[in-house]
Each structure stands twice: as structure tokens, then as C-alpha cells.
Amino acid sequence: MTGRRATKLDAITLSVIQAALQQVCDEMDLVFSRAAFSPVIAEANDRSDGIYSAEDGSLIAQGAGGLPVFVGVMQYSTGTLIERIREGVTAPPEPGDIYIVNDPYLGGTHLMDVRFAMPVWRGGEIYCWLSNTGHWPDIGGAVPGGFSASATAVEQEGLRLPPVKLFKKGVLDPEIYAIISSNIRVADQRIGDIRAQAAALEVGAERLGEVLDRYGDETVRMAIAELRLRAAAQMRARITEIPDGIYRGEAYVDSDGVVNAPLTIALAVEKKGDALTFDFSGSSPPCTGPMNSVLATTLSSVYLAMRHIFPEVPLSAGAFDPLLVKRPEGTFLDARYPRPVSGCAAEVSQRIAEAVFSAMVKALPDEVTAAPAGSSGNFALGGHDPARGRDFVMYQISGGGYGGNARHDGLSNGCSTIGISKSPPIEVMEQAFPVLYRHYALREGSGGAGRQRGGFGLAYEVELLRGEARASFVMDHGRTGPLGALGGADGAVNTVTVWRDGKAHVPPHLSKEQDIPLHAGDRVSVGTPGGGGYGDPFERKPELVLRDVALGYYTASQAEALFGVVLSTDGSAIDEAATARRRG
């Protein structure tokens, strides 16, 4: 829906329709979370819903509470579905049909992110598509939770579904469902997520129908076209503020989980006129382990990074039109079958965004932050609960510190860069799984020093109370912390320690390992990264350093070593003379 600029819409009607489309998506998000069984969806909100063009699947609107990384991904997968239907590869839809797909190479992320897509019919024709994505706690594969840290082929990661009709004329297909449930763990609980995911689309179709009935199909179509044009114009206007030139940034992945060596994301951003071109061709080649990124995730990572930088630009496909991403062929950012990809959505995507921040902070120092924690902290625990007589799969995500910026310190324990999903409440996790959280607090001292320091990560320890289980981790930033900017220090690295029979085990890859056996009483301790610091730490106001020490964020010795601020013996006041000498 990219037609000519509409001339018959007044500004008020356009604004009301824009808000109405947003509300449709927001209500889909709400229905999905409230009806889902899995804590990762119902509590952590690891899901997203949106409206997409009937012509090419381009984004019209997405729920404000949905994960930003799914913006470009769902646009890509919906477009691929439309293309496959036109080519006769996928069966054409009928009213009431809902497709399911999680194939990463057809516009996805990792296999656990399962997408549903449903056409909205008007007058016997498809007016648009509704689509949503939910993170299923398990999709089969080698390890509970799907995060196989040492997979070397996608088949080891779980069940891969091309676009097929899970619902036909509104009825769940029992044969397709049987195939799915026979290949995943704790299958009896997935029906709740499936019904919730479908219900969200059905509610969306009903609400969108009300909007169309009120304003007319053609008026809404004109509004969608106009909103796309305006989003593109606003993004171009912000881009023109950047001086022409080439800006470079880098980010690093700890390892691919198999080969214990870092992967490099090398980015060159060319600003010319009112467009930005992103070139990742200098990045590492395809890797053996599961840290490859499919093209849809790579594109979406660039879009969400720019969304962080220019949050005021309305969200639609138009906002992406001035962002030109060269296909990074021959690198691990353009995964082709059968490369494993379980780490792409939650980890590599954030490294891509980090590379964008690293480049753009040079162009827009007052707009861009230092690097955030950049890890979703993927921790999967699967086993058997003897007290309840059933198997379980627990999936834990965790927040970290955001980077400092020109105006203020970084946010502490913020959600991941790629989304708004949060850690499920520990009370819910302890109720649902045989675990006890012995510690859950800010990770003091983890924020990178700077004129504006980075935010602090999270420190937690969880104990298996009964039975046996297997733990798997696909995290990152265990080798290097989130990068500081303009003289700021890096944030603290991610740490993982598994306590088995009282003995500490640190994964050889630091942030990645799979299938670690646990028995009752064994514990897992995690410290998530802090954000990078922004600016010279010795330029930080001494009274802010004193406040941080008083709050327990840093010790008095750290205040002197990191910020050059010397405190009195009892730590209650600033020794101004000693501070002046220390800072030189």
C-alpha cells in the first residue's frame, strides 16, 4: 500500500485512524498474553502482533507492547508467505484459515519464535494480513528449551515448520497439531499458547473490521498509504541532520558455542543525502555453531537500532524505506540452510544493534547511547518434577544495564535491546517449576564508568529443589563487556557459574553451554552485563559518585579508581583536595 499521497483525508481523521490501527494491535497483544499458558508469553511478554499489507506483507502497524525485533521479521515472513501462495508453493487461504510457520530461512528468527498469520477478508478479497509471534518454551531438538549451544545444523535445534494451515476454516487441524505435539516437550501445555495466539488474531480481525466499517475500506486504505509516506519523510528528515560520510562500528560475539573464538561484526554506515546504507561485508564468515543470523533478523536488527535512535518516527514500513542494508553474503549475518541459528534472535541481533550504535554515536553523539547489556540471558532448564509427576521446561530471560548517554546515566536492569520482554516474576517461576531463587538483585559495580555511567545488570541464583534437570545457556558478552562511548568504560561482562555438588563450574565458552546435568540442591548463578559508560569518567560530577557509593552501587575504592573521586575515611563526604590531585 504505497500509492499516491492521499488528498481527501483531513489531519484529524488520519490521526484517529492511525491510533485505531495501533489500538487493534495493542489489544491483540493483550489477548495473547492474558490467554497464554507459558510464563515467557503470559508474564515476560515475549510476543508481538501486527497488521501487514495484502500486497507484499509490509508493516502497517504493530502493538506498542511487542518485541521490536519482530517488526522486520514478521514483515519479511508475511511477505514470503504471500509470495509462496502466489507461486502455488503454499495452499491459498480461505476465510478462517490461520497459517503457522517458524522456518528461520523464510523470514524468521530461531525456531522457538512461532508465527501465525491470518488474512482479513473484505468483500471476498484479502484486505490485509494479521500476524503474531510467540516464543514457545520448547520446540523439540537436542536440549530442553531449544537453545542448543553446540548445534551444528538446524535439525538439532528443533522442529522446523514451513507455512502450513494450522487452522482450516476456523478449525484446528488435528493432524498438523499431532505432528507438532509429537515433536516437542511438555506438549500438553502448548495447546494453551496455540489457542491464545489464534484468539489474538481473531480479536484483531473483529476490531479491525469495526474500524473499517466505521471509516470505510477505501478511507482506511488511503490513510495507510499516507502514514507510510509520512513515516518515510520523517525518517529522511532525521537522516539529513547527519553529516555526509562513512561511519564505522564493531561488535563482537563471544563465540559460536562450538569454536571458542570471537566473531566480529564489522559495519560501515554511509550517509548520503537522506538515506543510510549499512554494509556488514567485513564481518566474520558463517560459523559452525548456532550464532548465525538469518537475513530477516539482520534486517530487523538494523531497523530496531535506528528505532532506538529516532523513537519519534512512526512505526511502519515507511520508516525502513531510507535504511538500505546490503545483503551480507558470505558472512555469519546471512545464514543459509542448514546453518544453526538458535542464538540469532536473542543474541546476535543485539550485537548487530550494538554495531549500529557504535557507528552512529560518532555521527550523533547527543542522540546515541553507549552499548547496552545486549544479552537476553537465555537460560533453559528442563527435567522431571517428582512431586508433580510431570516433566517441565523452564525458560528464563533476564535484563541488564543500558548504556549512558549525553543526558543521563543508563537504565539499570532494563529489558533486552531487541524487545520489551522482561523477566517473569520469581514468584510465578517458583510456583510453576521446582526451583527456588536464593538471590535476585542489581549487580552492583557492573555499570561502565563514564561522565554518565552505564546502568547495572542483574545478579541472581536459582536452586533446583527436587528431581533432576539439564541446564543450557545461550548468552553473550562473557568475553568482552558492552562498549563504552566517547571515552567511557565498558560495562561488566556476563558471568555464569554452575554449582554442582558444591563445586563451581564455569562454561569453557563463558556464556554458552548445553546439557549440564543438575541434581536437587545444585545451583546456577548468573550476573548479567552492565551498560557501557558515556564520556570521560573523570568528568563525572563528584556528588553523583558520592551518591552511587552511598547507594552501594560502587565501593569507595572503585570511586577513586574508576572516577578519580576520593572520599573521606567514613565515605560520607568528598575529599575535594585529594579528588583534585587524583584527577590531575
Side-chain angles (χ1 to χ4, degrees):
M1 301 182 182
T2 59
R4 298 177 303 163
R5 181 177 293 274
T7 57
K8 299 180 181 179
L9 285 173
D10 61 272
I12 294 176
T13 301
L14 182 64
S15 180
V16 170
I17 291 175
Q18 181 182 30
L21 295 174
Q22 178 70 57
Q23 178 59 31
V24 170
C25 299
D26 290 344
E27 190 163 347
M28 286 194 286
D29 277 347
L30 188 62
V31 169
F32 195 176
S33 286
R34 286 191 170 181
F37 281 19
S38 301
V40 68
I41 299 174
E43 299 288 346
N45 295 325
D46 195 343
R47 52 90 186 104
S48 190
D49 296 81
I51 306 172
Y52 300 85
S53 164
E55 298 172 10
D56 59 4
S58 56
L59 176 67
I60 295 172
Q62 177 174 316
L67 268 67
V69 75
F70 291 150
V71 171
V73 169
M74 290 162 66
Q75 173 176 276
Y76 197 116
S77 63
T78 306
T80 300
L81 172 60
I82 293 170
E83 183 180 349
R84 287 170 66 93
I85 292 171
R86 286 173 178 163
E87 294 174 349
V89 178
T90 299
E94 297 182 76
D97 289 351
I98 298 178
Y99 294 84
I100 184 173
V101 58
N102 75 336
D103 190 324
Y105 313 106
L106 297 179
T109 46
H110 49 211
L111 295 175
M112 292 76 77
D113 289 337
V114 181
R115 286 170 300 289
F116 282 16
M118 181 180 77
V120 174
W121 298 83
R122 299 287 290 184
E125 296 183 351
I126 297 176
Y127 186 85
C128 65
W129 285 80
L130 303 181
S131 182
N132 59 17
T133 301
H135 182 117
W136 289 13
D138 189 82
I139 199 68
V143 299
F147 283 102
S148 173
S150 57
T152 56
V154 70
E155 286 82 6
Q156 299 166 10
E157 297 181 314
L159 177 66
R160 182 164 61 103
L161 295 165
V164 293
K165 295 182 183 180
L166 181 58
F167 288 81
K168 296 177 179 177
K169 298 181 179 179
V171 178
L172 179 67
D173 187 306
E175 295 178 339
I176 299 296
Y177 176 69
I179 292 172
I180 295 171
S181 60
S182 297
N183 282 275
I184 63 177
R185 299 172 182 86
V186 200
D188 59 312
Q189 296 179 18
R190 290 296 73 70
I191 189 62
D193 296 333
I194 288 172
R195 291 292 187 186
Q197 202 157 350
L201 297 180
E202 291 164 359
V203 168
E206 182 179 345
R207 296 294 181 267
L208 182 60
E210 294 170 359
V211 174
L212 295 170
D213 289 342
R214 180 173 182 179
Y215 295 100
D217 293 12
E218 186 56 32
T219 298
V220 174
R221 185 177 285 110
M222 292 169 62
I224 291 169
E226 179 68 11
L227 289 169
R228 176 166 183 168
L229 289 170
R230 293 191 178 202
Q234 288 184 51
M235 179 61 81
R236 292 186 189 281
R238 293 307 312 267
I239 291 173
T240 57
E241 299 171 5
I242 302 171
D244 281 359
I246 296 177
Y247 303 91
R248 301 185 185 277
E250 286 190 340
Y252 303 93
V253 177
D254 287 344
S255 75
D256 69 0
V258 176
V259 179
N260 200 353
L263 302 168
T264 300
I265 297 175
L267 171 63
V269 182
E270 182 180 10
K271 188 274 180 176
K272 188 174 182 179
D274 60 0
L276 294 173
T277 301
F278 298 81
D279 185 354
F280 292 95
S281 59
S283 303
S284 296
C287 60
T288 303
M291 302 302 282
N292 296 285
S293 175
V294 293
L295 180 61
T297 299
T298 298
L299 295 174
S300 194
S301 303
V302 172
Y303 300 157
L304 74 88
M306 295 306 298
R307 176 80 175 150
H308 274 276
I309 296 170
F310 298 136
E312 72 280 1
V313 176
L315 185 59
S316 80
F320 313 146
D321 289 344
L323 309 177
L324 313 175
V325 183
K326 293 183 178 180
R327 183 158 191 165
E329 295 181 288
T331 76
F332 78 110
L333 305 181
D334 184 22
R336 313 292 178 96
Y337 175 83
R339 295 282 181 183
V341 296
S342 69
C344 78
E347 301 302 322
V348 181
S349 62
Q350 300 193 67
R351 298 286 75 66
I352 295 170
E354 194 172 302
V356 175
F357 297 150
S358 176
M360 297 307 294
V361 74
K362 302 175 179 70
L364 295 167
D366 293 334
E367 300 282 346
V368 184
T369 71
S375 177
S376 296
N378 305 286
F379 166 34
L381 185 70
H384 182 75
D385 184 352
R388 298 181 177 179
R390 68 188 188 198
D391 293 341
F392 70 92
V393 177
M394 180 184 108
Y395 173 49
Q396 168 82 53
I397 55 178
S398 48
Y402 267 61
N405 61 46
R407 288 176 289 278
H408 52 72
D409 296 337
L411 177 70
S412 291
N413 191 27
C415 61
S416 64
T417 318
I418 60 170
I420 54 84
S421 55
K422 53 183 172 45
S423 301
I426 59 175
E427 295 84 358
V428 171
M429 300 294 272
E430 291 176 342
Q431 200 170 48
F433 308 109
V435 298
L436 175 68
Y437 284 80
R438 292 198 165 276
H439 180 73
Y440 197 93
L442 287 183
R443 186 184 177 197
E444 294 162 350
S446 60
R451 185 171 69 246
Q452 279 72 244
R453 60 160 174 75
F456 302 106
L458 172 70
Y460 70 87
E461 183 174 274
V462 60
E463 177 183 341
L464 180 66
L465 293 179
R466 54 187 179 268
E468 297 183 349
R470 293 183 292 157
S472 298
F473 309 94
V474 174
M475 305 178 181
D476 209 63
H477 266 319
R479 190 185 296 265
T480 59
L483 296 174
L486 305 180
D490 296 349
V493 299
N494 190 89
T495 62
V496 177
T497 305
V498 181
W499 297 90
R500 301 170 58 204
D501 299 323
K503 297 179 181 178
H505 167 74
V506 176
H509 287 246
L510 302 176
S511 60
K512 301 171 183 68
E513 192 169 355
Q514 71 178 53
D515 256 357
I516 303 173
L518 300 181
H519 304 284
D522 291 343
R523 294 168 288 128
V524 174
S525 297
V526 174
T528 69
Y534 182 100
D536 185 350
F538 277 34
E539 295 178 2
R540 185 168 178 78
K541 294 180 179 178
E543 57 268 27
L544 295 180
V545 178
L546 177 63
R547 181 203 63 183
D548 287 346
V549 172
L551 292 172
Y553 294 158
Y554 297 101
T555 64
S557 60
Q558 287 175 321
E560 181 176 353
L562 299 176
F563 300 96
V565 174
V566 182
L567 302 182
S568 60
T569 304
D570 62 0
S572 64
I574 300 166
D575 186 331
E576 295 184 3
T579 296
R581 290 194 300 271
R582 180 70 175 85
R583 288 188 163 187

